[in-house]
Amino acid sequence: MRDLGGGLLFAGGENGYALGGWMHTTMERILPVKMDSEKKKDTPSVALALVIDRSGSMQGQPMEMAKAASRAAVDVLQPDDLVEVIAFDSSPTRYVKMTQARRKSRIEGDIARIQPGGGTEIFPALDAAFQDLSVTQARKKHVILLT
C-alpha cells in the first residue's frame, strides 16, 4: 500500500494567533509563524513602494495623475508606516528611500520633482522595490505601479 502522507491546516486572522492563546504551545512550535503579539506593536503595519513610470509617454496629464495618485497613497498612511518612491524610465531612480510616512511634506515634495523623459524599463524598478520590501519588517507589504 502506498503512503499518502498527511498535512495540517491551521487558519486564523489578525486576532487568532497570539490573542487566541496559542503562544508557547506545541502548535506554535510546529507552525512556520510566531504568535508573539508584543512584536506586533513595534512593527510598522504597512510598507509601501510606489513605482512610477516617468518615461516619455507619461508627459503631461498622465504624469500629473500618477503624482496625484502617489500623494493620495502617502496621505492615507499612518505616521509609522513605511514608504518609498522609485521612478523609472530606462533605469530606476529612488526619489524617496524607505522612510516613515510621518515625513509627508518632504515625500510629497520629492514626488513633485519627478519629470518624464526616456524609455520604459519596468522590471528593474519592480525588482528594486521587491528587494527593498523583502528586508523591511512590516506586516503588510505593497507595491503600487503607476504607468
Side-chain angles (χ1 to χ4, degrees):
M1 177 152 244
R2 215 168 73 172
D3 183 12
L4 297 177
L8 169 69
L9 173 67
F10 190 84
E14 271 188 60
N15 301 323
Y17 293 125
L19 298 177
W22 294 101
M23 192 172 0
H24 305 300
T25 66
T26 302
M27 192 58 68
E28 181 185 31
R29 283 191 298 279
I30 64 173
L31 290 173
V33 296
K34 295 296 169 213
M35 301 183 191
D36 184 3
S37 63
E38 290 304 311
K39 288 184 181 179
K40 187 175 181 179
K41 294 177 186 173
D42 299 333
T43 304
S45 293
V46 174
L48 174 64
L50 295 167
V51 180
I52 304 170
D53 184 351
R54 66 171 182 170
S55 66
S57 65
M58 293 293 287
Q59 194 81 294
Q61 187 178 12
M63 184 84 260
E64 295 312 310
M65 290 174 61
K67 288 179 184 182
S70 298
R71 287 189 300 269
V74 171
D75 282 342
V76 298
L77 294 173
Q78 297 299 310
D80 289 334
D81 290 339
L82 300 172
V83 62
E84 79 171 343
V85 178
I86 299 173
F88 68 93
D89 50 18
S90 299
S91 63
T93 301
R94 280 183 186 82
Y95 277 77
V96 177
K97 291 183 180 179
M98 193 66 74
T99 189
Q100 290 182 325
R102 73 181 71 233
R103 300 177 176 153
K104 286 183 186 206
S105 60
R106 189 199 70 146
I107 295 166
E108 291 175 359
D110 290 339
I111 290 170
R113 291 187 308 111
I114 300 171
Q115 296 299 315
T120 306
E121 287 291 328
I122 293 175
F123 180 76
L126 289 175
D127 186 51
F130 172 79
Q131 296 300 324
D132 293 345
L133 288 173
S134 68
V135 296
T136 301
Q137 297 298 316
R139 283 180 266 146
K140 296 177 183 171
K141 302 175 185 185
H142 299 281
V143 174
I144 296 178
L145 173 64
L146 298 125
T147 184

